[in-house]
Amino acid sequence: MTATRELAWTDIPDLVRLETEAFPDDAWSEASWWGELAGRPRRAYLAVERDGELAAYGGIDHGGQVADLMTIAVAPAHRGTGVGGDLLTELETRAAADGAEALMLEVRADNEPARTLYDRRGYDVLTVRRGYYQPGNVDALVMRKMLSERGTQA
């Protein structure tokens, strides 16, 4: 059974663990998560639970006409199940409901699964930040989707 809910303070230990698995070189720290969750209501963070465990999480910053996807990650055991696409749909829906016309994001150029999802969903690369992610000197792709454009479901 799958359920989507608001992230809670009690999720922080699981978030830190999953961040380290998903983003080993640039994982958000416990302090970062405390700060992000304190940013509500401008920041909205969701958790997806499957069979009682945290399967995915993501969040947006409601910045007016342009919202920002702050993070999205899927636990290794739940990758390839569609949970990431479902969560992205929910975040896009919430951004649009809050008045956003576009959703912006930044993704590592070497994150093929994420890039594939964003490409399928109608996100376009606006610019490249060369060598943004360190260590590794990996480029960051800045992408945008106009929320009136639905894109293909992943």
Side-chain angles (χ1 to χ4, degrees), residues 31-71:
S32 295
W33 277 111
W34 280 101
E36 288 297 312
L37 294 183
R40 295 180 281 198
R42 180 176 165 131
R43 300 273 170 99
Y45 284 93
L46 301 177
V48 178
E49 288 186 341
R50 278 198 172 161
D51 301 321
E53 71 177 20
L54 186 61
Y57 59 88
I60 54 175
D61 178 81
H62 297 287
Q65 290 179 318
V66 178
D68 290 293
L69 181 68
M70 300 302 295
T71 189

